[in-house]
Amino acid sequence: MSTSKLTVSIFFWCMLYFHDIKAWVPPDKELHLFVDFSGIQNVTGLQIRQHAPTKTYEILVQGDAPWERENDLLAFGYNSLVQVSSADWRIYYDMFGPSGRYMGVAVSQDGGITWIKPLLNIVPLNGSSANNIVLPRDPSKDRIEPGTVFLDTNPHARPDERFKAVLSVNGAASMYASADGYHFESMTAPGAPPLLTGSDTQDVVFWDRRLQNGSGAYVYYGRSHLRGGQHVSCASVHPGASVAEPGRSINRFEIGDNVTHWPVHSADAPGCTIFNTDVSDPPCIDLYTSAVIPVGDAYFFFPMMYNHFDTTYAQGRSNDGLLEARMAVSRDGHSDVHYISRAAWLPRGSGSHRLNHTGVYQGAFDSASTAVARGFFERGDYTIMVGYGSQYTHGGYAGFSLPGGPVLSGLQKLVLRRNGFVSLSTTSDVYGAIGKFQTNDFLLPTCTNTSSQLVLQLNIFVAIGSGATVRLLNASNGGVVGVSDVIQGGAVVWNVTWNHQSTANSSQQWINKGCAYEYAGAPDACDAHSHYRNCTSNADCYLPGAKKPRTCLGMETNCTKGICATGRPGGEACGYWGTSNSTIAVGTNVLDLPVVTTDAYVLAMSMASADLYSVQFVCSSAE
């Protein structure tokens, strides 16, 4: 096969599955997070906001075990988190020192409060296997860059391969498997060609259930080496000085259902790069890692930004600079990967370089470098993540002189609201400022368990003195099916309650005809004596002593065709009784509303001084 034909073939493979994920129009029983405005419309007074974690400075892992101190091993930048169960949390962490790099493991059995480094007796290090190292199995012949360990959620995965790891071994990506997450064996047959050459990053592989139209497939994220899109070159910023031009980017391709048969074998295969620096980035910066995780119906990337020093400032080191993690997002994991904010998601701590050494900093332990471990833990109302920090710059590694005492490096606990990476947020906190949106049409999910009840669940925060409401509308005629109780305060799990209760005739529903009256108990219902009464002029619609029309649901009532109304059909949850078939069970928090599961509906929401993190329909009992 000629080179040109090979190039076309590889390009086609990298692009083949770029559009195989159907648009998941929210809401459904999938958790919908607001990484963009897809799935919603008529948005006013709202913006998408990025939320950074709280840096606790609680160090979970550092190079303090006897075998780490004896071999000058530091906790380093490529780390991954696995929550096996509520009593088994693991950090697979990068250990780096003069003898090379290793993957160790720390374990917590109490939800991340205390961490131990188990003596596994698997990998020999300097004549002893009394350590917590899991890879490489033979350090005498294999040099690694720790990648990612993940629990394989492929329903067809073998039990003895429940844990899988991808890492760079002697410059090529390799897959390993384990039954217990400690004893890993290579999945590559002896003498087989490497899966991927040019691997020089934290490789990420996982089973993505959304691929192949919901059938699932393994997917790879790593590093390609394409120049970014900055208009200003790095060399032009440092005239007369030698500088390494940035050339790191993020690639991605779908593997398929066999994790050891990769269709792409070069990190720089054409068409596989999905994210890079651009004209809005400064020169001398590129992307180091992806640390990508799927959450709900979105994907979150945590690229480590590398800001290159010139060699004069770096005291002769040709590949040195500061490192800091941002966050990027995507709806499908490959197209339109973008920032909500270019501000650091995990900013470096306060500090400056040490006297006469620009490669080692003093101050906070993370004053020179930060990175985000791939994965997360969940506990109660919180998402727990882990951040790497170091006083070493990219090129100021062990082996250089260390003026000013020991160099700090470790992994700290990061805390944020559960699934609270982004929110749909009101643009103004001024009293009376309202944000509104409406979803696209959707069909109500069904609960296969007859004892289950459908619940609309929000992750929402509302400032004191403010509120939010949700309306369920019939998409075909705009009729208001139900209006929620006012949401005040909010919660990570807020089960919406509806103030329109069903009647004895469960086949009745509100429809958009007639505007006969407004049902009582609506959060901003109009007074009965002022609304929908007979009138001959607008003044007849005023409250006694008032000088302007009464406002109902944000619109003034005026005399229209002899009736005081707003002129917005269905806007005040009015109508007459029609007939439909209701299959939604009755309960406090469920859709206690007469609906038709085959009809299309719309959610319309208004909120003041609020952040809406996610929307989801769930069934009240496990299915």
Side-chain angles (χ1 to χ4, degrees):
M1 181 180 290
S2 70
T3 302
S4 60
K5 290 183 179 180
L6 177 63
T7 300
V8 172
S9 175
I10 294 175
F11 176 83
F12 176 71
W13 186 270
C14 284
M15 300 299 293
L16 181 60
Y17 294 107
F18 265 28
H19 302 287
D20 71 341
I21 298 179
K22 294 180 179 179
W24 290 12
V25 178
D28 200 337
K29 282 193 287 186
E30 182 71 33
L31 183 73
H32 178 70
L33 294 101
F34 295 94
V35 297
D36 54 28
F37 290 107
S38 63
I40 61 176
Q41 55 186 309
N42 301 329
V43 181
T44 59
L46 296 171
Q47 63 183 342
I48 296 174
R49 178 176 295 174
Q50 172 177 300
H51 298 276
T54 298
K55 294 170 61 174
T56 65
Y57 283 97
E58 177 184 341
I59 304 301
L60 307 180
V61 174
Q62 56 185 330
D64 56 359
W67 57 91
E68 291 171 315
R69 293 196 302 268
E70 292 169 4
N71 293 277
D72 294 326
L73 296 178
L74 298 172
F76 209 55
Y78 296 169
N79 307 282
S80 54
L81 315 179
V82 176
Q83 186 168 348
V84 183
S85 68
S86 60
D88 188 354
W89 293 14
R90 303 185 192 182
I91 301 176
Y92 291 89
Y93 69 99
D94 191 353
M95 306 162 70
F96 179 63
S99 61
R101 292 173 80 167
Y102 310 88
M103 180 186 288
V105 62
V107 180
S108 175
Q109 298 178 331
D110 55 10
I113 298 173
T114 57
W115 293 85
I116 63 170
K117 298 175 180 177
L119 293 177
L120 300 176
N121 296 305
I122 296 174
V123 177
L125 176 65
N126 198 21
S128 173
S129 59
N131 56 59
N132 66 332
I133 299 174
V134 296
L135 288 167
R137 293 298 300 269
D138 187 354
S140 66
K141 68 174 185 178
D142 290 332
R143 306 285 289 185
I144 73 165
E145 290 195 52
T148 302
V149 176
F150 65 100
L151 267 179
D152 192 349
T153 56
N154 180 354
H156 304 294
R158 291 167 35 178
D160 61 339
E161 295 180 348
R162 188 166 66 116
F163 292 83
K164 288 187 172 66
V166 58
L167 60 155
S168 176
V169 180
N170 302 323
S174 301
M175 292 296 307
Y176 288 76
S178 170
D180 60 5
Y182 300 122
H183 300 80
F184 285 91
E185 299 292 340
S186 175
M187 301 181 74
T188 303
L195 293 176
L196 185 86
T197 59
S199 171
D200 180 28
T201 188
Q202 182 182 17
D203 296 308
V204 175
V205 170
F206 59 92
W207 176 260
D208 191 339
R209 60 181 174 80
R210 292 178 58 186
L211 297 176
Q212 294 286 326
N213 294 319
S215 297
Y218 294 102
V219 63
Y220 169 85
Y221 292 85
R223 180 197 294 175
S224 51
H225 302 84
L226 296 183
R227 294 284 177 87
Q230 297 100 318
H231 282 170
V232 179
S233 71
C234 189
S236 67
V237 178
H238 305 289
S242 174
V243 63
E245 283 290 346
R248 295 175 175 87
S249 46
I250 294 174
N251 64 359
R252 178 255 192 207
F253 57 84
E254 183 178 319
I255 296 172
D257 59 3
N258 188 331
V259 76
T260 62
H261 290 179
W262 290 20
V264 175
H265 302 291
S266 170
D268 294 312
C272 291
T273 296
I274 62 168
F275 196 48
N276 207 341
T277 53
D278 58 27
V279 295
S280 297
D281 284 314
C284 304
I285 283 182
D286 54 16
L287 309 180
Y288 223 107
T289 57
S290 71
V292 59
I293 54 173
V295 183
D297 64 352
Y299 296 77
F300 295 85
F301 296 74
F302 301 93
M304 182 165 49
M305 313 302 294
Y306 177 19
N307 182 200
H308 295 247
F309 292 158
D310 69 66
T311 53
T312 301
Y313 181 81
Q315 301 167 321
R317 298 181 301 277
S318 61
N319 191 10
D320 198 7
L322 299 175
L323 301 165
E324 193 168 58
R326 289 180 183 173
M327 184 181 80
V329 297
S330 173
R331 178 61 63 196
D332 60 12
H334 52 77
S335 64
D336 192 32
V337 182
H338 64 279
Y339 296 115
I340 294 172
S341 169
R342 291 176 191 260
W345 193 78
L346 183 59
R348 292 174 297 110
S350 176
S352 60
H353 70 79
R354 299 187 185 185
L355 182 65
N356 298 324
H357 200 309
T358 58
V360 184
Y361 271 48
Q362 59 190 359
F365 90 98
D366 57 350
S367 54
S369 301
T370 66
V372 177
R374 195 267 168 182
F376 61 92
F377 305 120
E378 289 185 333
R379 186 177 66 200
D381 288 347
Y382 300 99
T383 292
I384 310 295
M385 300 185 73
V386 171
Y388 158 75
S390 178
Q391 292 179 333
Y392 278 120
T393 60
H394 180 270
Y397 299 150
F400 289 98
S401 59
L402 307 177
V407 181
L408 302 180
S409 179
L411 308 182
Q412 68 167 312
K413 181 167 73 174
L414 309 175
V415 179
L416 70 161
R417 186 185 185 94
R418 186 164 183 160
N419 299 324
F421 301 98
V422 294
S423 70
L424 196 60
S425 176
T426 48
T427 56
S428 173
D429 292 331
V430 175
Y431 178 74
I434 304 295
K436 298 181 180 180
F437 74 92
Q438 180 176 304
T439 68
N440 295 343
D441 299 359
F442 63 90
L443 296 177
L444 285 169
T446 57
C447 297
T448 56
N449 189 330
T450 56
S451 64
S452 298
Q453 298 174 330
L454 194 61
V455 179
L456 176 59
Q457 204 168 80
L458 309 179
N459 182 347
I460 187 171
F461 171 80
V462 181
I464 58 174
S466 301
T469 57
V470 184
R471 291 183 296 149
L472 181 67
L473 311 177
N474 188 296
S476 63
N477 55 35
V480 178
V481 181
V483 179
S484 74
D485 290 320
V486 176
I487 301 168
Q488 294 182 322
V492 169
V493 179
W494 183 279
N495 293 327
V496 173
T497 57
W498 305 90
N499 62 47
H500 169 53
Q501 301 299 317
S502 63
T503 65
N505 182 357
S506 61
S507 67
Q508 295 175 328
Q509 72 172 122
W510 292 108
I511 61 177
N512 179 27
K513 291 181 181 178
C515 279
Y517 64 94
E518 182 174 38
Y519 61 79
D524 41 5
C526 305
D527 295 339
H529 67 270
S530 67
H531 202 51
Y532 299 122
R533 67 179 181 181
N534 294 332
C535 58
T536 57
S537 69
N538 288 346
D540 293 335
C541 300
Y542 295 179
L543 288 173
K547 296 182 179 180
K548 61 180 181 178
R550 168 70 169 169
T551 298
C552 180
L553 290 184
M555 297 188 71
E556 292 183 348
T557 58
N558 290 292
C559 188
T560 304
K561 295 183 179 181
I563 299 176
C564 293
T566 65
R568 184 174 62 179
E572 292 74 49
C574 57
Y576 70 84
W577 289 112
T579 302
S580 68
N581 296 318
S582 175
T583 58
I584 305 299
V586 175
T588 304
N589 297 319
V590 302
L591 285 179
D592 181 18
L593 305 167
V595 298
V596 183
T597 53
T598 56
D599 284 354
Y601 292 90
V602 167
L603 285 178
M605 189 165 183
S606 61
M607 55 189 186
S609 300
D611 284 281
L612 179 63
Y613 297 88
S614 64
V615 177
Q616 183 178 24
F617 276 111
V618 300
C619 293
S620 60
S621 62
E623 292 189 35

